[in-house]
Amino acid sequence: MREVGDDADGRDAADSDDDRDAAGDRADDGGAGVRSDGAGTEEVVAPDPDSDSDAESADDEAAVFAVPTETDSDRGTAWRRTLVRTGELTADVVDSLVSLHGSRGVRAVEAVSEGRVKRYRDFTVVVGYAEEYVVEDGGCTCKDSSYNLDPDEDDQRCWHVLAAAVAERIGEVDHHDMWYSDVREFI
């Protein structure tokens, strides 16, 4: 990509037509974009199914979500995908969550409704009844996760992980622009 500057004909390089490929695509990463024919007509184009956009979206999700959407459990993935798609906690999602995770699902919904999921620069944290627990990569620092649940079974997650998964997908995370490792010293 060229820096902004003058072309040989005096036009600004950022405005020159040769900054786009021959087809006029503005999105060359395989994602959805806008295509222009150069005469002012634009159309939205679908993502290229052969592109690496799925891998990129998984990387983007990892940067956003402490709990992955895709799991080895179809039922666990289904309610997470529904939350991503709708952005709200519906009765059907609560039913799925509770039928799959029982009382842990109920406690997760309670924690989200009470605003107990926090995102710091370095960690997502869920405020428990006695302590705060770090949720990262779908795991948790609580004793339930350490002693009672099989980390290799996606259907076995503590309520802290479930709360983080729900809150992240419906926009109910309390964001703090600070490092949790610094805040933890005061707790």
Side-chain angles (χ1 to χ4, degrees), residues 119-122 174-180 183:
R119 175 73 187 149
Y120 294 90
R121 289 180 183 170
D122 46 357
D174 184 14
H175 292 274
H176 297 274
D177 189 20
M178 57 186 72
W179 300 100
Y180 182 69
V183 173

Short mmCIF file of all heavy atoms in Angstrom, two decimals, residues 119-122 174-180 183:
data_model
loop_
_atom_site.label_atom_id
_atom_site.label_comp_id
_atom_site.label_asym_id
_atom_site.label_seq_id
_atom_site.Cartn_x
_atom_site.Cartn_y
_atom_site.Cartn_z
N ARG A 119 -14.81 -6.81 32.86
CA ARG A 119 -13.70 -7.01 31.92
C ARG A 119 -12.66 -5.94 32.19
O ARG A 119 -12.94 -4.75 32.16
CB ARG A 119 -14.21 -6.89 30.47
CG ARG A 119 -13.13 -6.96 29.43
CD ARG A 119 -12.59 -8.37 29.29
NE ARG A 119 -11.45 -8.35 28.41
CZ ARG A 119 -10.43 -9.16 28.49
NH1 ARG A 119 -10.41 -10.11 29.39
NH2 ARG A 119 -9.43 -9.08 27.66
N TYR A 120 -11.46 -6.40 32.52
CA TYR A 120 -10.30 -5.53 32.70
C TYR A 120 -9.42 -5.65 31.47
O TYR A 120 -9.71 -6.41 30.57
CB TYR A 120 -9.53 -5.95 33.96
CG TYR A 120 -10.32 -5.72 35.23
CD1 TYR A 120 -11.16 -6.71 35.73
CD2 TYR A 120 -10.25 -4.51 35.92
CE1 TYR A 120 -11.90 -6.51 36.89
CE2 TYR A 120 -10.98 -4.30 37.08
CZ TYR A 120 -11.80 -5.30 37.55
OH TYR A 120 -12.54 -5.08 38.69
N ARG A 121 -8.35 -4.90 31.44
CA ARG A 121 -7.44 -4.97 30.29
C ARG A 121 -6.87 -6.36 30.10
O ARG A 121 -6.60 -6.79 28.99
CB ARG A 121 -6.29 -3.98 30.46
CG ARG A 121 -6.69 -2.55 30.31
CD ARG A 121 -5.47 -1.69 30.49
NE ARG A 121 -5.81 -0.28 30.43
CZ ARG A 121 -4.97 0.68 30.75
NH1 ARG A 121 -3.74 0.39 31.15
NH2 ARG A 121 -5.35 1.94 30.67
N ASP A 122 -6.65 -7.07 31.20
CA ASP A 122 -5.97 -8.35 31.12
C ASP A 122 -6.87 -9.56 31.35
O ASP A 122 -6.55 -10.65 30.88
CB ASP A 122 -4.78 -8.41 32.09
CG ASP A 122 -5.10 -7.89 33.49
OD1 ASP A 122 -6.24 -7.44 33.72
OD2 ASP A 122 -4.22 -7.94 34.36
N ASP A 174 -19.24 -5.34 32.55
CA ASP A 174 -18.83 -4.07 33.14
C ASP A 174 -17.35 -3.85 32.81
O ASP A 174 -16.49 -4.55 33.35
CB ASP A 174 -19.06 -4.13 34.65
CG ASP A 174 -18.78 -2.83 35.36
OD1 ASP A 174 -18.66 -1.78 34.69
OD2 ASP A 174 -18.67 -2.85 36.61
N HIS A 175 -17.07 -2.91 31.91
CA HIS A 175 -15.70 -2.69 31.44
C HIS A 175 -14.94 -1.73 32.36
O HIS A 175 -15.48 -0.70 32.77
CB HIS A 175 -15.71 -2.14 30.01
CG HIS A 175 -16.19 -3.13 29.01
ND1 HIS A 175 -15.35 -4.04 28.42
CD2 HIS A 175 -17.41 -3.39 28.52
CE1 HIS A 175 -16.04 -4.81 27.60
NE2 HIS A 175 -17.30 -4.44 27.65
N HIS A 176 -13.69 -2.08 32.64
CA HIS A 176 -12.81 -1.26 33.47
C HIS A 176 -11.50 -1.07 32.71
O HIS A 176 -10.83 -2.05 32.39
CB HIS A 176 -12.54 -1.95 34.81
CG HIS A 176 -13.76 -2.12 35.64
ND1 HIS A 176 -14.22 -1.14 36.47
CD2 HIS A 176 -14.65 -3.15 35.72
CE1 HIS A 176 -15.33 -1.56 37.06
NE2 HIS A 176 -15.61 -2.78 36.62
N ASP A 177 -11.12 0.15 32.47
CA ASP A 177 -9.89 0.45 31.73
C ASP A 177 -8.70 0.47 32.69
O ASP A 177 -8.11 1.51 32.96
CB ASP A 177 -10.03 1.78 30.99
CG ASP A 177 -8.87 2.01 30.03
OD1 ASP A 177 -8.19 1.03 29.67
OD2 ASP A 177 -8.65 3.18 29.66
N MET A 178 -8.43 -0.68 33.25
CA MET A 178 -7.29 -0.85 34.16
C MET A 178 -6.90 -2.32 34.16
O MET A 178 -7.62 -3.16 33.65
CB MET A 178 -7.66 -0.38 35.57
CG MET A 178 -8.86 -1.09 36.15
SD MET A 178 -9.42 -0.43 37.74
CE MET A 178 -10.15 1.09 37.26
N TRP A 179 -5.75 -2.59 34.73
CA TRP A 179 -5.25 -3.95 34.80
C TRP A 179 -5.80 -4.61 36.05
O TRP A 179 -5.68 -4.07 37.15
CB TRP A 179 -3.72 -3.97 34.82
CG TRP A 179 -3.11 -3.36 33.62
CD1 TRP A 179 -2.60 -2.11 33.50
CD2 TRP A 179 -2.97 -3.97 32.33
NE1 TRP A 179 -2.14 -1.90 32.23
CE2 TRP A 179 -2.36 -3.02 31.48
CE3 TRP A 179 -3.31 -5.22 31.81
CZ2 TRP A 179 -2.07 -3.29 30.15
CZ3 TRP A 179 -3.02 -5.48 30.49
CH2 TRP A 179 -2.40 -4.52 29.68
N TYR A 180 -6.37 -5.78 35.92
CA TYR A 180 -6.90 -6.51 37.07
C TYR A 180 -5.77 -6.87 38.03
O TYR A 180 -5.95 -6.84 39.24
CB TYR A 180 -7.65 -7.77 36.64
CG TYR A 180 -8.25 -8.50 37.83
CD1 TYR A 180 -9.30 -7.92 38.54
CD2 TYR A 180 -7.75 -9.72 38.23
CE1 TYR A 180 -9.85 -8.57 39.62
CE2 TYR A 180 -8.30 -10.38 39.33
CZ TYR A 180 -9.34 -9.80 40.02
OH TYR A 180 -9.89 -10.43 41.11
N VAL A 183 -5.53 -4.05 40.32
CA VAL A 183 -6.70 -3.92 41.18
C VAL A 183 -6.71 -5.02 42.24
O VAL A 183 -7.09 -4.79 43.39
CB VAL A 183 -8.00 -4.01 40.34
CG1 VAL A 183 -9.24 -4.04 41.21
CG2 VAL A 183 -8.06 -2.85 39.36
#
